[in-house]
Amino acid sequence: NGKEEFDHVMITSTQWATQMSIDIKNFPFNELPLQKITAEHTQHNISSCKFFFSLKTKYWEKKDCKIPQILVTDSFIQDAYAFSWDKNKDDTGVILASYTWEDDSLKLLPFNQKELSELILKELKAITLETTGQDITQYIDSEKPVMIQWINEPSYIGCSKLYRQRNEDQNMLDLTYNQNYSWISGLYFSGENYAVEGGWTEPALRSSIDAVIQMIHHNNGEFTVKDFSYDYTYPKWPIN
């Protein structure tokens, strides 16, 4: 119940989580423009489901195996990818047995992990028997599947950020807020959900680095990185 005060606050939660869990009050529009609030309220996060199994062996290395590493289907599993990191000789690989997006992933929501595991194995067996005459499930360890239904992940509530039609201004405001408004509001927004492309490491990293750079600049900090100049080499964005 205690009260704490800070000169600067960096927000790294997703826009939806911020909207539902954090009260940001008493900021005038010159510090927190209405379009920034609109961007938070109207962001679209893509739904996606990934279902993994460990493999008993890297089947694609077997000379008599006709089953490809990548399967692209028109069934409910959509795509499947078998792969290995090859870091050690004991690595038997894994298979992303079902990789789905949007409506295709939402079709899988009614099923728990055990039910979906059985459905996927049955479908993979039917597909590979029909196309190659071989059963891929003999190479799959079905004991410990891993399911990631991104829309159910409380810290994400979706897989990646997608542009909405006519939302260019809101996206650009997310991209430029730290430069143009944070110096007066003390708020810094960092992470993939405040980048233009959400859902990948690179935009999350760029957004986070930008937030730190802007905070240092707004506090008259000195940059000592070789060949870097905030004034001459860092991109500047006009206020919308």
Side-chain angles (χ1 to χ4, degrees):
N1 297 324
K3 179 181 178 181
E4 295 184 80
E5 295 187 6
F6 302 92
D7 294 327
H8 310 281
V9 174
M10 188 171 293
I11 296 174
T12 61
S13 55
T14 65
Q15 300 216 38
W16 283 357
T18 301
Q19 178 188 351
M20 297 303 295
S21 304
I22 301 175
D23 289 330
I24 301 178
K25 299 178 178 179
N26 302 321
F27 286 90
F29 286 151
N30 68 315
E31 297 182 12
L32 195 66
L34 184 59
Q35 284 183 323
K36 184 73 176 71
I37 300 170
T38 302
E40 178 183 286
H41 286 215
T42 60
Q43 177 179 335
H44 176 54
N45 283 357
I46 300 173
S47 56
S48 179
C49 182
K50 296 179 181 179
F51 205 99
F52 293 88
F53 293 100
S54 295
L55 291 172
K56 298 176 182 177
T57 185
K58 291 179 276 192
Y59 64 83
W60 58 90
E61 294 184 352
K62 298 175 69 69
K63 292 183 179 180
D64 60 344
C65 184
K66 301 177 183 178
I67 304 170
Q69 279 184 260
I70 299 175
L71 301 173
V72 180
T73 85
D74 61 357
S75 74
F76 72 89
I77 66 171
Q78 291 297 316
D79 306 325
Y81 305 87
F83 56 98
S84 168
W85 284 271
D86 292 326
K87 288 186 176 180
N88 60 69
K89 63 181 181 180
D90 298 323
D91 180 13
T92 56
V94 298
I95 183 168
L96 173 50
S98 176
Y99 188 16
T100 56
W101 296 87
E102 292 288 56
D103 287 355
D104 289 317
S105 68
L106 298 179
K107 296 172 188 175
L108 309 182
L109 273 173
F111 304 99
N112 62 36
Q113 182 169 285
K114 183 176 184 298
E115 293 168 338
L116 194 52
S117 174
E118 294 171 353
L119 285 171
I120 289 172
L121 290 171
K122 181 180 178 181
E123 189 68 14
L124 285 173
K125 181 176 182 178
I127 290 172
T128 54
L129 280 175
E130 182 179 345
T131 57
T132 69
Q134 298 178 340
D135 178 9
I136 194 174
T137 61
Q138 66 182 301
Y139 304 114
I140 294 176
D141 182 356
S142 61
E143 293 301 312
K144 295 180 180 180
V146 174
M147 179 174 69
I148 303 174
Q149 183 64 272
W150 286 100
I151 201 168
N152 285 337
E153 294 293 313
S155 298
Y156 298 91
I157 321 177
C159 176
S160 60
K161 177 181 176 180
L162 186 68
Y163 296 103
R164 280 192 186 274
Q165 189 178 15
R166 296 184 293 275
N167 258 36
E168 181 180 2
D169 288 346
Q170 287 87 344
N171 288 323
M172 288 303 297
L173 189 52
D174 272 340
L175 184 66
T176 62
Y177 181 89
N178 293 332
Q179 175 191 284
N180 293 330
Y181 296 95
S182 294
W183 67 275
I184 185 172
S185 70
L187 295 175
Y188 292 82
F189 295 88
S190 169
E192 58 159 318
N193 279 261
Y194 305 102
V196 177
E197 325 94 320
W200 292 270
T201 301
E202 183 183 352
L205 185 61
R206 289 202 313 266
S207 172
S208 301
I209 292 173
D210 175 73
V212 173
I213 288 175
Q214 300 297 345
M215 184 180 290
I216 293 172
H217 173 71
H218 295 154
N219 287 278
N220 299 316
E222 181 181 352
F223 295 96
T224 59
V225 178
K226 183 180 179 181
D227 298 326
F228 174 81
S229 167
Y230 180 88
D231 293 325
Y232 298 106
T233 62
Y234 200 65
K236 306 298 188 299
W237 301 95
I239 298 178
N240 292 339

